[in-house]
Amino acid sequence: DAARVDVEWNRLVDEHRHDVDVDGLSMHYVDLGSGEPIVMIHGIGDSTYSWHQNAKALVDADFRVILVDQPGFGRSGIPSKGWAYSVENQAGAVLRVVSRLGIDRFQLVGHSLGGGEALYLAWTQADRIARVAVISPASQRTSCPFGVMTDLVAGMVWTRWFTAHALRSAFFRPERVSDVMIDEYARQLDRPGRMGSGVLGGVCKDHFSPAYDRMTEHYGEVKPELLIVWGQQDTWHPVTFGTTLGSLVP
């Protein structure tokens, strides 16, 4: 049933959704609450919905919460041909949205691939970032199977199957992955050009760029206060990546 929606989530964000053009690219974001701003960057194949269990708690704690769909994901547009889904381009697009909102300094949260982008911004934009929290970030080069796997699926039924499999593999307690959650994630992935050799394939091909390698060689230069959160049983990014990262940053 494609009509299954997360009613509570949509009630929270529907009036706070916005689209902005940044250098010819349509970027979607959600802007909630008021107070000190926190910018949150989702992971691969994800969207602003990634934060559906976090956003309200932060708003209730008197923060301004800005959730951004990365280029090619969620409700943001797919970049024109020739765009590289590199860490610097994806992170730079998020930063331009924040700048368009007139925000000079902010806290930053990133998960998985978005965690790698948060680390990149912490390294390159230290004067703008107060503190950073990364959740199982892509802090080291790792394999990316999605470009190949998603070539095999097409249409909402198969996209939903793929989404359910991916979510359950990521959860320590897979029974917590509800049908509503699967549909919300799958609905964003099912947009034209997302699966297969499109956006997901582009991210797998481009993300670990020379700029990414330079970042990993300079973690000791990261200046903002950094919180690293990692699941001991993480099946996507092993916790050893986290201990390595923790040993390299100040």
Side-chain angles (χ1 to χ4, degrees), residues 181-221:
M181 187 186 300
I182 293 168
D183 281 359
E184 285 285 359
Y185 278 100
R187 190 173 293 111
Q188 301 304 321
L189 268 180
D190 198 51
R191 293 170 181 263
R194 260 58 170 179
M195 301 289 276
S197 57
V199 175
L200 287 180
V203 172
C204 289
K205 178 174 66 73
D206 300 333
H207 190 78
F208 299 111
S209 64
Y212 179 93
D213 291 332
R214 288 193 296 273
M215 172 186 73
T216 62
E217 294 166 1
H218 293 87
Y219 280 139
E221 299 174 2

Side-chain angles (χ1 to χ4, degrees), residues 52-130:
H52 66 279
Q53 292 183 336
N54 311 103
K56 187 176 184 302
L58 291 169
V59 170
D60 290 346
D62 297 324
F63 289 101
R64 179 182 179 183
V65 180
I66 300 162
L67 318 174
V68 183
D69 278 336
Q70 293 192 46
F73 291 105
R75 301 189 183 195
S76 285
I78 295 179
S80 59
K81 187 176 181 180
W83 174 271
Y85 291 91
S86 60
V87 64
E88 65 270 27
N89 284 351
Q90 296 293 96
V94 173
L95 184 64
R96 287 196 293 277
V97 171
V98 177
S99 297
R100 286 287 292 273
L101 294 175
I103 297 172
D104 294 324
R105 190 167 170 81
F106 53 94
Q107 296 192 60
L108 184 61
V109 179
H111 168 243
S112 191
L113 210 71
E117 291 159 20
L119 290 170
Y120 183 81
L121 291 174
W123 176 49
T124 60
Q125 303 289 329
D127 58 327
R128 298 192 61 180
I129 297 173

Side-chain angles (χ1 to χ4, degrees), residues 143-203:
S143 61
C144 183
F146 293 112
V148 175
M149 288 176 61
T150 60
D151 274 327
L152 304 175
V153 301
M156 185 62 180
V157 173
W158 285 107
T159 302
R160 190 183 189 283
W161 173 88
F162 169 81
T163 303
H165 174 77
L167 284 171
R168 287 172 180 145
S169 74
F171 269 62
F172 180 68
R173 294 186 176 89
E175 67 274 9
R176 291 191 176 184
V177 178
S178 67
D179 286 337
V180 169
M181 187 186 300
I182 293 168
D183 281 359
E184 285 285 359
Y185 278 100
R187 190 173 293 111
Q188 301 304 321
L189 268 180
D190 198 51
R191 293 170 181 263
R194 260 58 170 179
M195 301 289 276
S197 57
V199 175
L200 287 180
V203 172

